[in-house]
Amino acid sequence: MTVLDIPVGANEEALFKLLNVGVSVEYFDHHHAPRTPEHTLLRLTLDPAAKVCTSLLVDRYLAGRFREWAVVGAFGDNLSAMAEEMARSIGLDQEKIKQLKALGECLNYNAYGESEADLTIPPVQLRRAMAPFADPLAFMRKDDAFVTIARRRVQDMQLARAVPPLLETDRLIAILLPNAAWARRVIGLHANHLANRDVRRFCAVFVPNGRDSLSVSLRAPEDWDISADQVARRHGGDGRAIAAGINDLPIERVALLLRDLQ
């Protein structure tokens, strides 16, 4: 089994259930883990550094064989400087880099939702469409999945940008989106947008998740006194230094989280 981008710390129990019945697991992860699990059947590549994403870990493992796709993944994880550096290393011009950035952002956006019903294209269907293409630009040209996702992404972002801040200070901007499928789809992308627009402030986007609690997407400046994943773990979430999330934040803890961010 190959496991990608699922926090190993939060899923250690399930991981060892597989290992202990004889399943070999190759695991790539960039999230913080309280300890590094070890097992004879486990090959784990783990790096929680701030400027690392799972696509970069896989790219290193494959020695750059499919670097165009790694560029897509890095853009999707909002690591634009790293993505552009990798793109230039394989001679891509600015127009191709722009296209790969758009694809990365669309694929990242299509991963957000409380269920498959929220998504534009179900992940299994999307993976099957992408799998035959070693070149992501060929995928964009020959399959209509990208255009389908891109159109809905534009619509959702227009709705998100029209929502005024819940709280705005010198150190923080917090947005509360409505309990709607479009808001659940755009929570991560809108957090990235806010973080890129103002690199000096912590960004938090809240969306009701239908379970009497909130999903939260957090973005922290690189040079801040506390990281996004540290804040997230205080409230039951996880992530990495500059980007993290909380799946189920009780409503009564919203004020406490906002206080932690200021």
Side-chain angles (χ1 to χ4, degrees):
M1 176 178 288
T2 300
V3 183
L4 302 164
D5 203 37
I6 299 174
V8 67
N11 292 279
E12 189 172 316
E13 181 179 351
L15 170 62
F16 274 94
K17 284 182 179 179
L18 293 170
L19 295 169
N20 291 335
V21 296
V23 178
S24 297
V25 179
E26 189 168 49
Y27 207 124
F28 297 88
D29 184 27
H30 71 130
H31 298 90
H32 167 83
R35 70 183 190 90
T36 302
E38 296 181 358
H39 193 283
T40 55
L41 294 179
L42 174 65
R43 287 198 298 175
L44 174 64
T45 301
L46 177 67
D47 186 348
K51 295 184 179 181
V52 169
C53 66
T54 298
S55 291
L56 298 184
L57 298 180
V58 175
D59 181 64
R60 293 174 188 169
Y61 178 77
L62 296 175
R65 285 177 55 210
F66 300 99
R67 182 150 293 169
E68 290 90 344
W69 278 113
V71 171
V72 171
F75 273 128
D77 227 352
N78 204 34
L79 296 177
S80 294
M82 180 65 70
E84 291 192 16
E85 180 182 328
M86 287 195 301
R88 288 192 294 270
S89 77
I90 53 176
L92 297 180
D93 61 34
Q94 203 56 42
E95 179 57 32
K96 289 181 178 178
I97 293 174
K98 181 179 178 181
Q99 292 178 55
L100 295 184
K101 181 177 182 180
L103 177 59
E105 291 175 348
C106 282
L107 294 177
N108 177 274
Y109 151 82
N110 191 73
Y112 282 91
E114 285 299 312
S115 70
E116 285 195 0
D118 286 343
L119 307 184
T120 304
I121 299 178
V124 170
Q125 179 183 332
L126 183 57
R127 188 212 179 269
R128 287 173 179 162
M130 294 164 58
F133 295 95
D135 179 4
L137 294 171
F139 165 70
M140 295 175 74
R141 290 193 304 269
K142 297 179 181 180
D143 194 285
D144 61 3
F146 166 71
V147 173
T148 301
I149 296 170
R151 286 174 177 166
R152 178 172 270 186
R153 172 187 167 223
V154 169
Q155 296 168 355
D156 288 353
M157 281 300 292
Q158 288 174 341
L159 294 170
R161 291 176 183 180
V163 177
L166 171 70
L167 177 66
E168 191 166 10
T169 69
D170 290 341
R171 287 172 57 89
L172 169 68
I173 181 166
I175 305 286
L176 174 61
L177 298 180
N179 185 7
W182 69 262
R184 294 189 290 271
R185 288 192 298 268
V186 86
I187 180 174
L189 188 64
H190 194 43
N192 287 341
H193 164 71
L194 295 171
N196 293 336
R197 189 180 67 180
D198 188 347
V199 299
R200 302 165 301 167
R201 292 194 289 186
F202 212 113
C203 304
V205 179
F206 298 80
V207 178
N209 60 21
R211 298 188 294 273
D212 295 323
S213 59
L214 299 157
S215 297
V216 191
S217 194
L218 302 172
R219 301 294 182 270
E222 291 182 20
D223 57 351
W224 238 50
D225 50 358
I226 189 169
S227 65
D229 59 326
Q230 288 174 324
V231 174
R233 285 195 294 276
R234 288 180 185 175
H235 299 272
D238 208 341
R240 55 191 176 91
I242 59 176
I246 305 166
N247 290 331
D248 288 289
L249 180 72
I251 294 173
E252 60 270 20
R253 290 186 63 88
V254 170
L256 180 60
L257 173 59
L258 291 174
R259 190 157 56 244
D260 275 354
L261 297 174
Q262 296 188 72

